[in-house]
Amino acid sequence: MKDISLWQEGDWIAVIALVLLGAFLTVGALIATSRKPEFAGHPKGLYMLFFAEMWERFSYYGMRAILIFYLTQHWLFSDGKSNLIYGAYTSLVYITPVLGGYLADRYLGQRKAVLFGGLLLAAGHSLMAVEGVGGQNDPTINVFWAALAFIIVGSGFLKANISVMVGQLYKLTDTRRDSAYTIFYMGINAGAALGTILVAYLGQTIGWGFGFGLAGIGMLAGLIVFVLGKGALKGAGEAPAPLARSRELTIYGIGLAAVAVIWALVQYQDVIQTLLAISGVALLGYVLYESFKLEKEPRERMFAILFLISLNPLFWGLFEQAGGSMNLFTDRFVDRGGVPAGIFQSINPIIIILVAPLFAALWLWLGKRGFEPSAPAKFGLALAQMGFANLVLVWGAEAYGVAAMTPVILVFAYYFFATTGELCLSPVGLSAMNRLAPSFLASLIMGAWFYMTAVGNFVAGKIGEATGGHDGQMTKQGLLDIYELFGWIAIGAAVVVLLLSPIVKRWMHLDTLRDRDDGLAGVGEAEPLAAGVHPEPKGA
């Protein structure tokens, strides 16, 4: 261990993160050992899901922070190819919840689906620690592809279903919903921030295996929390009907077979692009088919869902440059003061932790006065802010000179506007999906949300590939040109969405929403709702 007098900024950041992780674990232990059914006005089940999701995000975002560097520096892929692999991987992480949500809805229930997904994730993150000697001719690269496959399929069983379970703890009209979902969303980002800092620090300063190994330990911790906290769920997430053991084992077998399929698929990004297009048309066609079978109000709510979902590819295509081209830009062209580039991925979740309560308070304040923007209007604001984030980075870097190292303050500015955009879209969209959807389609609609996020992640890979130019090697000016183009595209799309938002708001029929009488309160819910239980907004 280095003498403390020799510590640099990155060392201090890692130590602070470790102390904060210890504080989180202490609070978690106090909640777990409390005999009261609630803590701070919320059921203990919320906090159990909070910590389980925190650890899962710790492992996922920690691994994500150094994946692009692992691809370029260890496996020696070009910048363009690495961005494409990164985009293909993250897109599959978001598309598999369609299968996982369907199997949970119809057979397993959310709890068993999350447990199985957690086991697959733990295996995947553990395999990531197997480095080999590096280079594409090293046979160990097949272990790397297998690790990605386990993580992808594991995320499919876990990702949508744990959000659905949170909603089952509350009624639709429960006034605690907004604060509960803010707590859960902050848990996601606490895990993301701490995992990013610690995994990136170990991976980039000590060795890849140490960083990925820590991510694996984090996933195991989340799995333990979930198993031990079963009683706090009070029946949420159980199977919709008794499930024969043979059928349950068959479903697990399907999951393992999917790992083998993904192992082959993730290596061929062009095939993924084709499958995304075909399966996307099929999925949206099925959702439309189900929509036209409904009565007028629920049918129009489904139309609103489809409108919101359709905006995902552009927003996430730009936002997810963070772990790909923006990560490489920070590493090579930013004056970072010796801090490992991967640690800068923690800026986004840290800003969310600091700003999310302010956004929740702002929506509440505006809602009580009837001026809260509708969900589609918030989506328009999200696109505008994401576009502005791109333009701020471009204008600032060019003002300081392309040949000079870009000041780190511009990286913070980029992530600030991208993050405020995320806060206008992600929690709002997740809530709207299952609040507006019929309960029998809850996890499927959540899966469809993640599917279109998957498309956005693949788009991110294609945009990142474009920053590599014709020879696959990123240049600073080439990246700035691409970022400026898509910055203006996002702002143009934002204007169109804001103009259409009053029409889409009417489709949502928020004034006639009622609690469902289907056994579990709030079944199928996800994240905090756009408007909560407030007066009808006067604006768009």
Side-chain angles (χ1 to χ4, degrees):
M1 184 176 178
K2 288 191 295 185
D3 186 278
I4 194 170
S5 63
L6 301 176
W7 284 13
Q8 297 180 330
E9 288 91 338
D11 302 311
W12 285 107
I13 292 170
V15 169
I16 292 170
L18 193 61
V19 171
L20 290 173
L21 179 60
F24 269 104
L25 295 180
T26 300
V27 173
L30 291 174
I31 295 173
T33 55
S34 171
R35 295 185 178 182
K36 297 180 180 179
E38 294 188 352
F39 181 85
H42 290 279
K44 289 177 68 174
L46 171 66
Y47 299 99
M48 187 278 284
L49 294 173
F50 170 102
F51 280 100
E53 180 73 351
M54 186 194 84
W55 278 117
E56 190 275 328
R57 295 290 85 185
F58 179 101
S59 59
Y60 176 79
Y61 279 99
M63 182 266 234
R64 172 184 177 271
I66 58 175
L67 179 58
I68 195 74
F69 303 126
Y70 195 48
L71 288 165
T72 56
Q73 299 171 21
H74 184 71
W75 297 119
L76 306 181
F77 289 102
S78 69
D79 294 342
K81 184 68 170 178
S82 295
N83 273 289
L84 191 58
I85 294 171
Y86 171 84
Y89 159 70
T90 54
S91 71
L92 289 171
V93 163
Y94 282 93
I95 196 173
T96 49
V98 176
L99 172 64
Y102 175 80
L103 292 176
D105 272 351
R106 293 290 300 272
Y107 306 109
L108 284 177
Q110 286 78 28
R111 185 184 64 81
K112 286 185 176 180
V114 169
L115 181 60
F116 180 59
L119 290 169
L120 295 178
L121 282 164
H125 284 292
S126 299
L127 289 175
M128 284 294 294
V130 180
E131 293 182 48
V133 296
Q136 295 168 48
N137 294 324
D138 179 4
T140 311
I141 197 171
N142 290 300
V143 178
F144 167 70
W145 299 126
L148 294 185
F150 273 101
I151 294 171
I152 288 165
V153 178
S155 295
F157 278 92
L158 183 144
K159 201 167 184 59
N161 292 309
I162 198 166
S163 295
V164 170
M165 290 173 70
V166 172
Q168 294 178 357
L169 299 173
Y170 298 88
K171 290 182 178 295
L172 290 177
T173 52
D174 193 324
T175 56
R176 300 175 299 171
R177 288 180 55 83
D178 285 355
S179 63
Y181 283 118
T182 298
I183 290 170
F184 181 70
Y185 203 60
M186 289 178 68
I188 291 172
N189 288 284
L194 297 173
T196 295
I197 292 171
L198 294 173
V199 173
Y201 175 79
L202 290 177
Q204 292 194 271
T205 62
I206 299 179
W208 304 115
F210 288 93
F212 291 127
L214 180 62
I217 292 171
M219 189 59 243
L220 284 173
L223 196 57
I224 292 170
V225 168
F226 188 77
V227 171
L228 295 180
K230 175 185 175 183
L233 295 174
K234 304 296 184 183
E238 293 303 324
L243 184 63
R245 186 65 175 169
S246 59
R247 174 165 289 187
E248 183 176 347
L249 292 175
T250 299
I251 292 171
Y252 297 146
I254 291 172
L256 293 175
V259 171
V261 172
I262 296 296
W263 174 85
L265 191 59
V266 75
Q267 302 177 51
Y268 300 98
Q269 295 81 47
D270 292 340
V271 176
I272 295 174
Q273 180 175 335
T274 302
L275 289 177
L276 280 174
I278 295 173
S279 58
V281 171
L283 175 62
L284 295 180
Y286 177 72
V287 173
L288 273 175
Y289 170 75
E290 291 290 344
S291 300
F292 283 111
K293 291 162 61 177
L294 301 172
E295 296 179 356
K296 181 179 183 296
E297 285 195 3
R299 181 173 65 248
E300 290 187 345
R301 290 190 186 113
M302 293 289 280
F303 293 160
I305 284 173
L306 288 171
F307 177 84
L308 298 177
I309 284 175
S310 70
L311 301 176
N312 268 358
L314 177 58
F315 180 85
W316 295 112
L318 297 180
F319 184 90
E320 283 297 331
Q321 295 306 308
S325 65
M326 188 62 188
N327 219 0
L328 291 175
F329 177 86
T330 305
D331 186 54
R332 299 173 186 175
F333 305 121
V334 172
D335 183 7
R336 340 178 235 105
V339 177
I343 288 181
F344 285 86
Q345 293 296 295
S346 67
I347 296 173
N348 164 251
I350 289 172
I351 292 175
I352 287 180
I353 292 169
L354 296 175
V355 175
L358 301 180
F359 269 70
L362 175 64
W363 302 145
L364 182 63
W365 186 84
L366 290 173
K368 287 180 177 178
R369 289 157 179 79
F371 289 105
E372 182 182 6
S374 62
K378 289 177 182 177
F379 272 50
L381 294 174
L383 288 170
Q385 290 169 92
M386 189 65 244
F388 188 63
N390 275 29
L391 296 178
V392 165
L393 180 70
V394 172
W395 294 337
E398 291 181 343
Y400 277 92
V402 175
M405 295 296 282
T406 299
V408 73
I409 187 64
L410 291 173
V411 176
F412 281 88
Y414 172 88
Y415 284 120
F416 177 80
F417 289 111
T419 302
T420 55
E422 181 191 4
L423 284 169
C424 287
L425 184 140
S426 186
V428 173
L430 286 169
S431 169
M433 291 307 99
N434 278 330
R435 192 182 196 222
L436 300 177
S439 59
F440 70 93
L441 291 174
S443 287
L444 178 65
I445 293 300
M446 182 63 73
W449 166 269
F450 286 127
Y451 173 86
M452 294 306 285
T453 304
V455 174
N457 276 263
F458 193 84
V459 169
K462 299 296 287 186
I463 294 173
E465 184 185 30
T467 65
H470 295 295
D471 61 358
Q473 186 66 27
M474 175 194 292
T475 64
K476 187 174 183 180
Q477 187 61 62
L479 178 139
L480 295 177
D481 290 343
I482 293 294
Y483 274 36
E484 183 174 27
L485 171 64
F486 280 97
W488 285 116
I489 289 173
I491 288 176
V495 172
V496 173
V497 172
L498 288 170
L499 291 174
L500 294 175
S501 62
I503 298 172
V504 181
K505 187 192 76 171
R506 287 197 294 272
W507 287 348
M508 296 170 70
H509 296 287
L510 295 176
D511 55 328
T512 58
L513 272 178
R514 297 290 182 268
D515 277 320
R516 304 180 179 108
D517 184 19
D518 51 7
L520 280 172
V523 67
E525 287 303 305
E527 296 277 335
L529 149 78
V533 201
H534 305 313
E536 183 68 10
K538 297 175 184 176

